[in-house]
């Protein structure tokens, strides 16, 4: 692996300022999804070692929270600067282990770094409040205090940004963190640990543990010293983590599955809407919780939309992320098989295959962009989060009916509306049961915004002022027998 700074490639866990190997001889190989070659190995820590990370974080908590907000901010700003200085190496690592195009990986480094900078500054605004007293000779108010040791369980599709969005907030609030990256993509997380150490973040404050997912989650979620758990991933796993954490009543922040509707009204430019829908569907090869999953198009423009969507989709370049491409591989062969199963199910129930020739796939882990027309609620492509480059499109006639169809899911993360009618937009936006609604644009995320969903798409918010609150407790105080204005 050719990096400008070879020390960024780490294959050991990082606990209490030390690089730590697993005690067994069964470290897990990490594969390049584009070609199946082994990039390196993920150390599998045992339960005792993972518990040791909690002990280290707990020990570091008092010193970290005692630093002034400016001192913590300076360390975070230095970490932010180091991410930018090593942008190319971080992007290279990310593309090799995750598969996304190098251009997208560079964008993720910038996006991920922005959360560190944002929270380094936002922590200065973790205000308490003074409460007008209803008690004679008393002063009432609130303080904001860090919750304590915080755990981040992060996914493989955004192996850098999902860490910084969580850890940036927790660290700024005064909480030490333990990150568990996906075993498919550990190297980006470990490079972040190397840069955190260089930035001067003290031992025990930022830890990265690697191991068997079931072992790690059980140890961390049942340890009473862990006060907060943040997870990005499937709704199924999120429910498991809630059950594991219930015994110690932990603070939970969950960003779970999505089944995003993309509604195209008849008053828009059809070609522009089709181009935007292609971009919304195929970002990160469709392996994105914000990806357009069900595309609803007004019947008056349905056929033209399908034609233009197919044209723009076929123009996408598929191949290794190290090349000039638009779509890289899926994360592993199981993802390819799952995508094909969803297509087969739709076709068996009457959907039309408008485009998507899998014989052109450049490798075992690649799935060519696929367009299915006339999907129905009975099909898996409609009911499930496909997490693949498979686009399902159907027609609608009535605004109320399409909003009802869009809401007909257990998920409620993000939705898209394309229309030029302000009153129509407002009515749809209020009617959609989603935590985030984007109108006439794809770009809606970023450090200042509260990212999160409703229903079974999660709990809490990440980013913005609300993201900091996830790692702060409110302490109320009442100071009695205080002197009055005259001093008496």
């Amino acid at each position: 692996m050719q990096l400008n700074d070879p020390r960024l490639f780490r294959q050991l866990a990082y606990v209490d300022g030390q690089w730590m190997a697993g005690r067994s001889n069964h470290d897990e190989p990490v594969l390049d999804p584009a070609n199946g070659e082994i990039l390196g190995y993920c150390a599998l820590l045992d339960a005792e070692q993972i518990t040791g990370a909690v002990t280290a974080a707990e020990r570091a908590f008092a010193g970290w929270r005692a630093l002034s907000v400016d001192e913590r901010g300076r360390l975070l700003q230095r970490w932010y600067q180091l991410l930018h200085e090593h942008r190319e190496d971080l992007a290279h690592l990310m593309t090799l282990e995750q598969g996304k195009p190098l251009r997208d990986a560079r964008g993720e480094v910038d996006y991920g770094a922005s959360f560190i900078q944002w929270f380094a500054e936002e922590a200065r605004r973790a205000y308490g409040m003074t409460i007008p007293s209803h008690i004679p000779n008393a002063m009432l108010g609130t303080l904001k205090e860090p919750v304590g040791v915080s755990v981040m369980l992060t996914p493989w599709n955004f192996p850098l940004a999902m860490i910084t969005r969580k850890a940036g907030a927790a660290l700024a609030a005064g909480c030490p963190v333990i990150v568990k990256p996906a075993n498919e993509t550990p190297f980006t997380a470990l490079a972040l640990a190397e840069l955190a150490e260089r930035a001067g973040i003290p031992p025990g404050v930022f830890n990265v543990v690697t191991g068997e997912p079931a072992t790690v989650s059980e140890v961390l979620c049942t340890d009473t010293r862990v006060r907060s758990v943040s997870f990005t991933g499937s709704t199924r796993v999120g429910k498991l983590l809630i059950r594991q954490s219930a015994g110690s009543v932990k603070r939970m922040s969950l960003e779970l599955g999505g089944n995003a509707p993309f509604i195209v009204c008849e008053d828009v430019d059809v070609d522009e809407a089709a181009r935007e829908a292609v971009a919304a569907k195929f970002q990160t090869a469709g392996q994105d919780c914000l990806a357009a999953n069900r595309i609803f198009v007004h019947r008056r423009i349905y056929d033209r939309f399908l034609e233009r969507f197919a044209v723009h989709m076929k123009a996408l370049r598929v191949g290794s992320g190290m090349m000039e491409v638009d779509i890289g591989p899926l994360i592993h062969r199981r993802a390819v098989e799952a995508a094909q199963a969803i297509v087969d199910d739709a076709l068996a129930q009457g959907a039309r295959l408008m485009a998507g020739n899998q014989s052109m796939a450049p490798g075992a882990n690649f799935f060519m962009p696929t367009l299915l027309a006339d999907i129905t609620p009975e099909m898996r492509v409609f009911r499930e989060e496909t997490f693949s480059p498979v686009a399902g499109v159907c027609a609608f006639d009535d605004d109320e009916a399409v909003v009802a169809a869009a809401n007909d899911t257990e998920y409620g993360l993000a939705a898209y509306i394309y229309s030029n009618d302000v009153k129509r937009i407002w009515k749809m936006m209020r009617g959609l049961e989603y935590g985030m609604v984007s109108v006439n644009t794809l770009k809606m995320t970023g450090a200042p915004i509260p990212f999160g969903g409703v229903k079974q798409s999660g709990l809490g918010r990440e980013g913005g002022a609300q993201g900091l609150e996830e790692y702060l407790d409110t302490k109320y105080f009442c100071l009695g027998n205080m002197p009055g204005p005259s001093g008496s």
Side-chain angles (χ1 to χ4, degrees), residues 45-124:
L45 304 190
D46 62 26
E48 184 179 352
Q49 290 175 302
I50 297 163
T51 299
V54 180
T55 301
E58 183 188 38
R59 186 167 54 242
F61 180 36
W64 183 245
R65 71 179 295 181
L67 294 179
S68 72
V69 67
D70 286 342
E71 290 173 307
R72 288 198 301 269
R74 279 193 290 271
L75 292 172
L76 290 174
Q77 291 284 14
R78 178 57 184 150
W79 194 27
Y80 161 80
Q81 292 164 3
L82 287 170
L83 262 67
H84 277 295
E85 290 173 17
H86 295 276
R87 179 178 186 251
E88 200 62 25
D89 277 350
L90 290 169
H92 193 85
L93 269 175
M94 201 185 314
T95 292
L96 287 174
E97 65 178 356
Q98 199 279 336
K100 65 180 61 182
L102 192 56
R103 177 187 64 252
D104 293 355
R106 293 187 184 109
E108 184 174 340
V109 175
D110 296 340
Y111 176 65
S114 72
F115 289 100
I116 300 173
Q117 183 183 49
W118 167 267
F119 285 116
E121 298 169 351
E122 184 64 15
R124 294 188 176 93

Side-chain angles (χ1 to χ4, degrees), residues 241-264:
L241 297 176
I242 292 173
R243 289 192 291 270
Q244 289 180 332
S245 301
S248 50
V249 196
K250 299 190 192 311
R251 179 82 64 89
M252 302 291 290
S253 175
L254 306 174
E255 195 262 284
L256 306 177
N259 191 3
F262 191 104
I263 301 172
V264 183

